[in-house]
Amino acid sequence: MDYRERMRSLREDNDLTQAEVAKIIDKSQQGYNHIEVGRAELKIDDLIKLCDFYNVSADFFIGRE
């Protein structure tokens, strides 16, 4: 599972919409969608925010664990 699949899985497991998670990383829903589907890269600052929000390690998030 790559980080995009994990992003979607974590979001869905927490019953969140793309718009709700987008607010956490200060993006629009469309900007978040572009990351989740692979049209844009996840920035390290956004990775940190998402890891803090979901209470997971960066290794878990990117699939190294």
Side-chain angles (χ1 to χ4, degrees), residues 3-4 7 18 29-42:
Y3 79 87
R4 289 179 172 89
M7 277 180 75
Q18 287 185 343
Q29 182 275 327
Q30 183 179 21
Y32 178 85
N33 175 266
H34 285 183
I35 297 167
E36 201 173 86
V37 300
R39 291 187 196 129
E41 292 295 320
L42 180 64

Side-chain angles (χ1 to χ4, degrees), residues 5 8 12 14-16 18-19 21 25 29 35 40 42 49-50 62 64:
E5 293 169 316
R8 182 176 182 176
E12 290 176 345
N14 287 279
D15 297 320
L16 298 167
Q18 287 185 343
V21 179
I25 60 173
Q29 182 275 327
I35 297 167
L42 180 64
K49 290 175 189 175
L50 290 171
I62 62 173
R64 295 193 65 195

Side-chain angles (χ1 to χ4, degrees), residues 16-61:
L16 298 167
T17 65
Q18 287 185 343
E20 291 169 325
V21 179
K23 287 181 185 180
I24 294 160
I25 60 173
D26 198 29
K27 303 263 186 251
S28 66
Q29 182 275 327
Q30 183 179 21
Y32 178 85
N33 175 266
H34 285 183
I35 297 167
E36 201 173 86
V37 300
R39 291 187 196 129
E41 292 295 320
L42 180 64
K43 294 183 179 180
I44 190 73
D45 292 339
D46 297 334
L47 170 65
I48 292 167
K49 290 175 189 175
L50 290 171
C51 288
D52 288 345
F53 176 74
Y54 290 120
N55 196 32
V56 298
S57 70
D59 279 346
F60 172 81
F61 198 95

